[in-house]
Amino acid sequence: MRGLTVGRSPGEPRRGTQATSAAVAVFVALGACLSGCAAGGTGTRDEGAAHADAVGGAAASSPAASPSKVPDRVDAVRLVKSDPKVSEEVKHELKPCVADEYPVDVSYGELTGGTAEDVVVNVLTCGDAVGVGSYVYREEDGAYQNVFRTEEPPVYAEIDRGDLVVTKQVYERGDPVSSPSGENVITYRWASGRFSEQYRTHNDYSNAAGNAPTPVPDADG
């Protein structure tokens, strides 16, 4: 471009530059027109569709997210009744409370690091919902194996952030079933193919709560 302006006299217009710019503008306009015609005259809308296709292609080429493990629902009643590690006393307690509704609580979660979700089963009594047995089942070779059990009522097992937490209520002599004196909370962790106790805490319940007399409202109020 600089060669086009060499030797011009003062005040002489830069015709070479103007001509070149005009030619470029015409070429760009002609290219845009031909592009629009070839695409069916949709203009920028065609560019938008092409952009969407490009995004779709990028998404398709990106690695798919690994699916979350969905636990297979188990027949907890059948599992417990067929388990030789479950005592006959607990199996005897495992009866329908209403129609075909059995007193069992079932939880699924990560406890043993296996390829499938572990299953925690709590067997309760119908009348007072007292836990009479808690069990953990781990899937091994296509079948569930009992890897933990405790049958010292009242007991209840839960999954807490990858740990097994077992709560055992403590009764003193004369305590009604509805009002234990306290509880022991024991945390277990899976290691070397079994559950090992990590720590425990003891909580004493207050017998005063709920027994305070209700104050008589002020007559002037």
Side-chain angles (χ1 to χ4, degrees), residues 47-81:
E47 293 180 2
H51 176 70
D53 292 341
V55 172
S61 62
S62 61
S66 58
S68 58
K69 293 189 295 185
V70 178
D72 294 328
R73 293 297 184 263
V74 302
D75 186 340
V77 174
R78 182 177 179 181
L79 192 62
V80 170
K81 284 185 172 292

Side-chain angles (χ1 to χ4, degrees), residues 32-218:
C33 180
L34 292 176
S35 175
C37 293
T42 56
T44 57
R45 292 173 59 187
D46 285 336
E47 293 180 2
H51 176 70
D53 292 341
V55 172
S61 62
S62 61
S66 58
S68 58
K69 293 189 295 185
V70 178
D72 294 328
R73 293 297 184 263
V74 302
D75 186 340
V77 174
R78 182 177 179 181
L79 192 62
V80 170
K81 284 185 172 292
S82 62
D83 186 355
K85 294 184 178 181
V86 176
S87 67
E88 292 300 323
E89 290 80 7
V90 171
K91 292 179 180 180
H92 180 73
E93 289 286 344
L94 190 51
K95 300 176 181 179
C97 296
V98 178
D100 59 348
E101 296 294 329
Y102 284 82
V104 293
D105 287 347
V106 185
S107 302
Y108 301 85
E110 298 271 354
L111 281 174
T112 68
T115 57
E117 298 283 350
D118 300 302
V119 183
V120 177
V121 181
N122 288 285
V123 179
L124 315 172
T125 60
C126 287
D128 302 313
V130 173
V132 296
S134 298
Y135 311 93
V136 177
Y137 292 93
R138 169 185 166 92
E139 196 272 336
E140 297 177 358
D141 299 326
Y144 283 99
Q145 305 296 328
N146 187 329
V147 293
F148 179 89
R149 71 184 179 99
T150 177
E151 298 176 335
E152 299 175 4
V155 64
Y156 198 88
E158 299 174 282
I159 301 172
D160 184 6
R161 292 170 291 185
D163 289 336
L164 176 66
V165 179
V166 177
T167 301
K168 297 182 177 182
Q169 292 180 323
V170 178
Y171 288 87
E172 301 293 343
R173 179 172 297 181
D175 286 345
V177 174
S178 59
S179 299
S181 295
E183 67 179 10
N184 292 322
V185 181
I186 310 168
T187 300
Y188 297 89
R189 189 166 297 162
W190 182 262
S192 301
R194 65 186 184 90
F195 282 102
S196 299
E197 180 179 332
Q198 298 298 303
Y199 42 84
R200 66 172 59 203
T201 59
H202 176 80
N203 301 316
D204 285 326
Y205 298 153
S206 173
N207 292 326
N211 295 327
T214 304
V216 179
D218 191 355

